[in-house]
Amino acid sequence: MAEAGFLIRAEGVTVERDGVRLLDGVDLAVAPGRIVTLVGPNGAGKTTLVRVLLGLMKADAGRVERREGLTVGYVPQRFQPPPSLPMDVDAFLRLAGGSAEGQRRAVLERLGAGYLHRRPLRALSGGEMQRVLLARALLRKPGLLVLDEPAQGLDVHGQQELYALVARLRDETGCGVLMISHDLHLVMAATDEVVCLERHVCCVGKPEDVSQHPEYMRLFGTELEGLALYPHQHDHHHDLHGNVVRHAQPHGPRCEDGCNHD
């Protein structure tokens, strides 16, 4: 059972395969109502760590503690249904088990995707599929939501909309969130804590602190050129199709990209 205050916690997790150390003494914890994001280059061990946390892979050393009775909702990195699969969104959600049609409709509506209820899976766009996968995870009523590269394949507006949606769900439900992401500049404004991983934990802390850490700069310096790592508010958002939806009363001075900063 995880220590009070934590949904899940890893201590000293080490994983070796074929003589190669994939993880080396990794510590990580996720508390209720907190968004924790794992960042790191390809091969850093991010997905391996998540698999250990979910009990899908056994660590060679260290331990993982989970709160008793913890329910996890998992959104995979990608899901590509076969083109010939004759299944609509409701049938796909029904496979998660234990839900009535009204519940499935309600969770889609909550995600702004109610119109997808009877849409064939093969006809969904990337953003629509991510919402359906998120709906499937939410039907479990999770205490912990785990998202593996949730914005992969989305354009920048779709990414912003998805991260805002995840933050809203956290606020509404109080669940903890663990994300893996490469979208550094957007994640920095959408998370409470960043864990920078390169088989071991290079640095950990608040986004504004980690973004200035030498180890973070060493790993991502070239990717960060020209990126602004500050949180900001927009006078609009984009729907699933990229259409602009203006907010009624923008606040604060405007900058050249049309956003409003406090």
Side-chain angles (χ1 to χ4, degrees), residues 140-207:
R140 293 177 54 81
K141 299 181 180 178
L144 175 65
L145 190 59
V146 179
L147 304 103
D148 189 348
E149 295 284 3
Q152 188 176 59
L154 302 183
D155 63 20
V156 66
H157 300 307
Q159 293 171 23
Q160 290 172 327
E161 186 73 4
L162 181 65
Y163 289 132
L165 176 59
V166 169
R168 178 165 61 82
L169 291 171
R170 180 273 309 269
D171 294 341
E172 291 175 355
T173 67
C175 70
V177 180
L178 177 62
M179 286 197 292
I180 297 176
S181 184
H182 281 99
D183 306 305
L184 304 179
H185 56 308
L186 295 176
V187 166
M188 287 307 216
T191 189
D192 299 308
E193 182 176 76
V194 176
V195 178
C196 186
L197 195 68
E198 193 183 25
R199 301 185 183 179
H200 66 283
V201 175
C202 300
C203 52
V204 59
K206 295 180 179 179

Side-chain angles (χ1 to χ4, degrees), residues 205-228:
K206 295 180 179 179
E208 59 270 25
D209 297 329
V210 170
S211 65
Q212 301 301 317
H213 194 283
E215 282 295 299
Y216 182 86
M217 298 299 291
R218 177 182 66 83
L219 290 175
F220 299 110
T222 57
E223 296 183 43
L224 297 175
E225 292 178 5
L227 296 182

Side-chain angles (χ1 to χ4, degrees), residues 6 23 25 60 83 88 92 100 105 113-115 124 127 141 184-185 193 206 208 213 215 226 233-234 238 242 255-256:
F6 293 105
L23 294 173
D60 295 292
D88 64 16
F92 177 69
R105 282 183 176 272
Y115 67 96
L124 300 183
K141 299 181 180 178
L184 304 179
H185 56 308
E193 182 176 76
K206 295 180 179 179
E208 59 270 25
H213 194 283
E215 282 295 299
Q233 296 179 342
H234 289 268
H238 299 259
C255 64
E256 291 182 1

